[in-house]
Amino acid sequence: MTKQDDHFKKVIAHAKEFGFVFPSSEIYDGLSATYDYGQNGVELKNNIKDYWWMSMVQMHDNIVGLDAAIFMHPTTWKASGHIDAFNDPLIDNRDSKKRYRADVLVEDFIGKIQDKIEKEVIKGKKRFGEEFSEKEFRSTNPNIIRRKGQIEEIESRLKLVLETNDLAAFKDLIDELGIVCPISGSKNWTEVRQFNLMFGTELGSVAGEASKIYLRPETAQGIFVNYLNVQKTGRMKLPFGIAQIGKAFRNEIVARQFIFRMREFEQMEMQFFIKPGTQKDWYEYWKKTRMKWHESLGFGADQYRFHDHIKLAHYADAACDIEFKFPFGFKELEGIHSRTDFDLGNHEKFSGKKIQYFDAEQNQNYVPYVLETSIGLDRMFLAVLSKSFCEELLDDGTQRVVLKIPPALAPVKVAVFPLLKKDGLPEKAKQVLNILKLDVNCQYEEKDAIGKRYRRQDAIGTPYCVTVDHESLNDNSVTIRERDSMKQERIAIDKLQKYIGDRVSTKSLVQNMDRLLENAVLN
Ligand code: ATP
């Protein structure tokens, strides 16, 4: 098992043990690729949503929210292209009987070549020490040049088979690259087939084509069909955005990486309506803004990278992903897509309703273009959880498991302890708790020694623990202990609310983001 596999296994076990994520309907042995969020998971999830909503809706005068239904008129999916084109290419390995996405097999193969390049760079750094210029090394080292060439060739062949939908050529590509099944190690593959990812069901009691509806595979269409409603009732002027958080459903071929790929998941999407012709500038704007949203969490800029799409979706004229370094490598966390007027234009065509914007300056009607940012809430949750999970060896030789979750996202912000379960300390501690819980999510614990209580709070990522002791009864002060440094300090009870509030508010993340954006403009 690699170090990364081991880390990932520990994260999954920890998520279950501490009430973050449970397998769905576990008493019936679970349901594949479906998970439930426990008492701490739901708090973390809500905090991620708050951060996203605040930075999108609250911080932008021209972005408003929406909560559309999951069920939509079936013609929606004809217009959006999902019925005809929302397919993934699948392939089976005859020996392991495992099913794979053919494009993911090829992308993982490319990933391995990329890893070799990175290893070469690390070797170079060691060899040349101070003198090392990474840029020069990457552009002159013969092994790197050869491998880059390999990647380019594979990518262009992948692009071609995806664009031409040539499934036989897809199979040839997999055979020629000698891709083996990660489970059986064999190259005994079936043909490549297309598989539609939409979940269908029946509306009401009458079966048949007329009543067939779908669980939405993306939240975006709920926004597009409401474009006119919001624009008119909100008197919105271009450019403006509509943001939405909600469930989406995809019958994924392979769903093996915990909450990374699920069949029921949640998206946070924002569709930004713009004047045709301005899409390139807005694409760059949202790429930069979204990257800073991620970076402001403090996990390090090197944990993210942009990846341009090899094949553009049927609706896009430019598209990229923000990839995150998950325990199993760099993978898509968020998509940024320039969707042109494809969606609104098609809804206009299929519904027969005029879906346009009157541009008073130009005295002209047109179908707006759309810039989309789309992030998976569950993937974001996994990114935060996996990057926060640390095992630390302490000075006294003991070990602790701590979730170094950015304080604003932590499920519990502060835990309040009486030092002892007597002498009026619990009563005093509860007074402190009652003050703090008006502002933030708190826990109260009086069982076990303080050290043990600290460990339990570390394990769920609580940034602050407050202890009420005998002195507190006289001087109205308490000890506050910070999670990561484990430093303790004495603080007056009447200063606690502000002290904690300043450090754990969503506002602090948004302010970080603004600072990062300002610096990016200055540099
Ligand atoms: P992938 O290539 O990984 O299948 P995608 O390109 O189909 O993803 P989009 O359609 O761009 O994904 O969806 C936007 C976001 O929704 C993704 O960046 C991802 O975070 C999230 N997402 C998509 N599919 C799933 C899924 N099955 N489970 C969890 N999150 C998902």
Side-chain angles (χ1 to χ4, degrees), residues 86 88 101 103-104 107 197 217-218 250 252 259-267 269 309 315 321-322 332-335 337 372 374-380:
F86 197 50
D88 274 343
R101 254 174 68 178
D103 55 331
V104 172
E107 274 166 9
L197 301 181
E218 61 175 25
R250 294 182 189 178
E252 296 281 358
I259 55 172
F260 179 81
R261 189 176 298 286
M262 300 198 287
R263 300 205 166 95
E264 172 182 342
F265 58 100
E266 219 162 331
Q267 290 184 313
E269 295 197 305
H309 281 199
Y315 51 73
D321 298 331
I322 293 178
E332 173 176 349
L333 172 60
E334 170 158 8
H337 310 130
E372 164 184 82
S374 172
I375 172 169
L377 176 54
D378 313 85
R379 283 193 193 173
M380 188 60 205

Side-chain angles (χ1 to χ4, degrees), residues 109-153:
F109 186 84
I110 293 172
K112 281 189 192 136
I113 305 178
Q114 191 68 48
D115 288 347
K116 285 186 189 152
I117 295 181
E118 298 314 315
K119 276 194 189 135
E120 199 79 48
V121 173
I122 293 171
K123 255 179 26 199
K125 256 185 205 156
K126 268 195 196 145
R127 188 153 24 109
F128 295 108
E130 299 257 297
E131 320 262 277
F132 185 71
S133 154
E134 184 171 331
K135 202 168 161 205
E136 196 183 321
F137 188 76
R138 281 183 189 273
S139 58
T140 53
N141 179 283
N143 285 338
I144 294 184
I145 294 172
R146 181 173 46 80
R147 293 202 163 106
K148 272 196 200 150
Q150 271 176 315
I151 292 179
E152 272 167 26
E153 197 201 318

